Amino acid sequence: MFPHKWPKSAFVAGNAVLDFLNTVDAHGRSVDQDRLTSYASALAWGEAADLIDSAEFKRIADTASSAPADSEQALNDLVQWREAVYRVFEAIVRNEAPPADDWKTVETSIKKAISSALLSRDKVGATSWKTPPAITDLTTIPQRLALGLHELLASDLVAKIKQCEGCTWLFIDTSKNHRRRWCSMATCGNRAKAQRHYQVKATAE
């Protein structure tokens, strides 16, 4: 467990929202495998994922330290949102209808995020919803995640989302032949290789 530091191996999905859904240990989604062990963990994740910058990190951390009960509730809300969104994508990957309650959670969070966001245009004219610069508080991370979720659901990347064959993590398969099977070759890929080697060896004996 790493409550304040997130290594590169925690960011393998190809999308910040999916990486957030993967903040549970790669071999299950039980409480004792949750890596968001505190609001500080969530805040550190946001900075490591480039969802917030260092100045925003400091401002939000100051807010959280002055309101521990609010930050604890914010963490609980984030975890509940994460699990609802995970179930939605898990259903999408399986070509099933997402659970109605979870889909409603997605819809509500996106509507709420957009209601206080600004419509922004980049240099080539593409538009997207952005958090107003003046707003940096306990709502910043959930709002940006919800806006990112809106962009992901509206994109053609949804059809490329897969679930690792070795764990519960989700990722976007951008490989040329669209045959990526693992969240990471360094973890689940190598475990699968080792297991196949063991099985071949055991059969030979």
Side-chain angles (χ1 to χ4, degrees):
M1 300 260 254
F2 35 85
H4 302 296
K5 293 183 179 180
W6 295 86
K8 290 182 179 180
S9 59
F11 301 93
V12 298
N15 176 272
V17 174
L18 297 184
D19 279 325
F20 183 73
L21 303 186
N22 294 343
T23 53
V24 175
D25 187 75
H27 291 279
R29 300 192 74 81
S30 62
V31 174
D32 62 340
Q33 293 166 323
D34 196 333
R35 298 181 177 185
L36 293 183
T37 55
S38 65
Y39 187 79
S41 299
L43 199 54
W45 179 90
E47 185 178 30
D50 292 326
L51 204 68
I52 57 174
D53 60 31
S54 57
E56 291 172 326
F57 176 96
K58 186 178 185 309
R59 288 197 294 270
I60 300 172
D62 289 343
T63 299
S65 63
S66 64
D70 290 342
S71 63
E72 183 176 356
Q73 183 59 53
L75 175 65
N76 291 337
D77 291 344
L78 266 175
V79 169
Q80 290 179 18
W81 181 86
R82 180 193 65 191
E83 293 306 300
V85 177
Y86 177 85
R87 288 189 293 268
V88 165
F89 278 115
E90 188 176 40
I92 290 174
V93 167
R94 295 176 179 175
N95 200 27
E96 299 172 354
D101 288 347
D102 295 328
W103 187 251
K104 186 65 177 178
T105 295
V106 166
E107 180 183 24
T108 300
S109 67
I110 290 174
K111 284 181 177 179
K112 183 178 180 181
I114 291 177
S115 70
S116 58
L118 299 176
L119 189 61
S120 175
R121 297 177 76 248
D122 62 20
K123 292 180 180 179
V124 297
T127 60
S128 60
W129 294 101
K130 302 293 184 184
T131 305
I135 299 178
T136 308
D137 54 27
L138 297 178
T139 68
T140 300
I141 289 178
Q143 184 188 41
R144 291 182 183 174
L145 283 169
L147 294 177
L149 175 60
H150 176 250
E151 290 184 6
L152 179 57
L153 287 172
S155 74
D156 59 3
L157 293 176
V158 172
K160 299 177 182 178
I161 296 175
K162 292 184 178 180
Q163 187 176 45
C164 176
E165 293 183 14
C167 70
T168 65
W169 281 15
L170 300 170
F171 61 88
I172 296 175
D173 181 7
T174 56
S175 63
K176 189 172 294 186
N177 58 8
H178 305 297
R179 292 183 178 178
R180 179 178 165 188
R181 301 170 61 191
W182 320 110
C183 58
S184 171
M185 279 303 301
T187 53
C188 288
N190 281 339
R191 289 191 188 99
K193 277 186 178 181
Q195 186 174 17
R196 285 197 300 270
H197 176 75
Y198 174 79
Q199 290 172 342
V200 170
K201 185 178 179 181
T203 301
E205 293 175 351

